[in-house]
Amino acid sequence: MTYSEENYIKVIYHLSLVSPKGINTNAIAGMIESKASSVTDMLKKLADKELVNYQKYQGVTLTQKGLHAAKMIVRKHRLWEVFLVEKLDFTWDEVHDLAEELEHIKSEKLINRLDEYLGFPKEDPHGDPIPDRYGQLVKVDKQLLSEILPSKKVICLGVKDSSPSFLKYLDKHQIALGSEIEVVNKESFDHSLSILINNRQILISNKIASNLYVKLI
Amino acid sequence: MTYSEENYIKVIYHLSLVSPKGINTNAIAGMIESKASSVTDMLKKLADKELVNYQKYQGVTLTQKGLHAAKMIVRKHRLWEVFLVEKLDFTWDEVHDLAEELEHIKSEKLINRLDEYLGFPKEDPHGDPIPDRYGQLVKVDKQLLSEILPSKKVICLGVKDSSPSFLKYLDKHQIALGSEIEVVNKESFDHSLSILINNRQILISNKIASNLYVKLI
DNA sequence: AATAATTTTTAGTTTTGTCTAAATTTATTT
DNA sequence: AAATAAATTTAGACAAAACTAAAAATTATT
Ligand SMILES: [Mn+2]
Ligand SMILES: [Mn+2]
Ligand SMILES: [Mn+2]
Ligand SMILES: [Mn+2]
């Protein structure tokens, strides 16, 4: 598999988690920052290699083989992110782009050794699950903070958006994975939230709240 | 710089160390396992980017810019090799091919953090020097074992050939970096050597001896 | 100095992955 | 059910990096 093929497979995988039916050409083009015609070309190639099920105009799904390949790329991406944060002291907003490169290094042995070296982590620095060497992953039950009712207490488990700007916002407000948050009030007009975190009460917008994964304590 | 351009620059650098005059098209083609015509095409491109000095039929040399780029690639290659051996328990015969991939990961910050994490090593697992972040490298005075006179004692510093087959040969005969070797006898007919290592006397061919770097104790 | 051998370059293709523009299919409105 | 809009595919082109075969330049040999 080429670098480019791997990126397509990974994007189709991520889109499949959100909408389990056939994935649109345009959705893929959007994620990969290319044009629909380029996507069509690639889908034919991936179908030839039996990595995707593709029929003209009908969208695309991963085959078993494609799904496994995708999980292995995600595994590599997330293990490298853990390495960068845990061992090389990178911050959680710095690692994604680097992992985009590192995820294409082709060696099962390397990634399994890295996994072992890191102590077989189950989650990456953004709270996303890391598939094991067989593609198995632990699905933790999480909700978006925006869905939590007032007076409930939650613990922060992960982020939906892992862009540097969002992560830096969280750092600034001292919201980290593991933080305890109490929803004090929900504003019905704009769906903003008053939350209690680290004994301080702060106001966050709905956009923030709908990008934070939490679970009830 | 593309993956391929980086490989060419690195090969020209390695060839320059052996013969400091202009590097031949064919020599490059041999190292990179491509054809002379492909090399000519690439040399034009590298000259456009001011990474090499190139004039038709006159061979090629690295510019200052090209030399620095080459050293940074070699730095990355060798630091990754150290990482794989020191942290992930790879053997010295397993790491070269992996480092060929890892050396293309583009991040100064990553490589400088890795350098720090590894304790700023001066040499890679094969005894080759690691350029620092400015391209500076410590040149250790070493000779080939084949040039050592009988009855002299040396310490093993590195390998010239770092192919898995040669490295495995050394492992099998318990010759490692740091090993003490005494040259007992040199056979004038085939230039093979009798050496004393780990209190055992063994016979090694000239080919082996001329791929082992040593220094007199 | 002329010829032969070797090396290097040029010319013309190929493959991969991308693009634009046009054509086709599917979905949405009127 | 047409007509219109949107999504998707096809056709044709291009750049990167490789190739083969032929031409040109350099080097070695007679
Ligand atoms: Mn990431
Ligand atoms: Mn992540
Ligand atoms: Mn190496
Ligand atoms: Mn090495």
Side-chain angles (χ1 to χ4, degrees), chain B residues 143-161:
Chain B
Q143 296 169 269
L144 291 173
L145 178 57
S146 52
E147 289 156 3
I148 304 297
L149 298 176
S151 90
K152 298 286 183 188
K153 283 186 180 179
V154 296
I155 189 160
C156 185
L157 289 185
V159 294
K160 189 173 168 194
D161 171 5

Side-chain angles (χ1 to χ4, degrees), chain A:
Chain A
M1 254 172 120
T2 68
Y3 194 102
S4 190
E5 286 169 355
E6 289 190 341
N7 280 334
Y8 274 89
I9 288 293
K10 188 184 56 165
V11 160
I12 295 166
Y13 172 73
H14 285 311
L15 290 169
S16 299
L17 294 180
V18 183
S19 71
K21 21 170 195 160
I23 305 303
N24 303 330
T25 302
N26 265 347
I28 298 168
M31 292 274 280
I32 238 151
E33 295 183 297
S34 67
K35 297 297 156 71
S37 56
S38 307
V39 174
T40 302
D41 286 347
M42 182 57 88
L43 293 183
K44 286 177 189 168
K45 203 188 307 178
L46 295 174
D48 283 348
K49 296 195 173 188
E50 296 184 307
L51 292 160
V52 300
N53 305 115
Y54 170 64
Q55 272 165 282
K56 280 191 190 187
Y57 299 103
Q58 305 306 293
V60 73
T61 57
L62 291 172
T63 60
Q64 278 306 106
K65 192 175 153 192
L67 178 62
H68 187 260
K71 283 176 169 175
M72 288 304 108
I73 299 162
V74 168
R75 169 171 163 78
K76 287 193 274 182
H77 182 105
R78 293 179 179 164
L79 282 172
W80 279 117
E81 286 188 343
V82 173
F83 169 73
L84 293 171
V85 168
E86 297 284 314
K87 302 295 184 182
L88 300 193
D89 291 324
F90 278 79
T91 55
W92 68 342
D93 59 293
E94 295 176 313
V95 297
H96 180 80
D97 288 351
L98 260 170
E100 288 290 306
E101 277 194 73
L102 287 160
E103 72 190 4
H104 299 288
I105 300 292
K106 282 169 201 23
S107 168
E108 282 223 11
K109 189 167 191 169
L110 168 56
I111 208 64
N112 291 336
R113 288 283 177 91
L114 186 64
D115 195 11
E116 186 183 354
Y117 183 58
L118 298 170
F120 303 105
K122 292 281 165 292
E123 285 168 16
D124 82 0
H126 312 104
D128 293 312
I130 299 175
D132 70 16
R133 64 168 71 195
Y134 308 107
Q136 219 82 47
L137 51 81
V138 185
K139 226 178 246 162
V140 174
D141 210 34
K142 33 190 163 181
Q143 295 169 269
L144 291 172
L145 178 56
S146 52
E147 289 158 2
I148 304 296
L149 297 176
S151 90
K152 298 287 183 186
K153 284 186 180 176
V154 297
I155 189 160
C156 185
L157 289 186
V159 294
K160 191 173 166 191
D161 171 5
S162 60
S163 67
S165 57
F166 180 55
L167 299 176
K168 278 176 185 152
Y169 172 94
L170 296 178
D171 285 342
K172 197 168 69 186
H173 293 83
Q174 295 174 53
I175 302 172
L177 301 198
S179 295
E180 269 188 36
I181 295 173
E182 184 180 334
V183 177
V184 177
N185 185 47
K186 294 182 80 162
E187 187 60 58
S188 61
F189 178 65
D190 65 354
H191 306 102
S192 63
L193 302 184
S194 280
I195 63 170
L196 197 63
I197 181 164
N198 301 321
N199 299 315
R200 293 181 315 124
Q201 189 171 319
I202 63 174
L203 191 78
I204 62 174
S205 70
N206 175 258
K207 185 165 181 192
I208 301 294
S210 55
N211 276 300
L212 259 184
Y213 288 119
V214 299
K215 74 163 181 214
L216 291 169
I217 330 186

Side-chain angles (χ1 to χ4, degrees), chain B residues 192-206:
Chain B
S192 63
L193 302 183
S194 281
I195 63 171
L196 198 61
I197 181 165
N198 302 320
N199 299 314
R200 293 183 314 125
Q201 189 171 319
I202 62 172
L203 191 78
I204 61 172
S205 70
N206 175 260

Side-chain angles (χ1 to χ4, degrees), chain B residues 2 4 8 34-35 37-38 45 57:
Chain B
T2 67
S4 190
Y8 274 89
S34 68
K35 296 298 156 72
S37 56
S38 308
K45 203 187 307 178
Y57 298 103

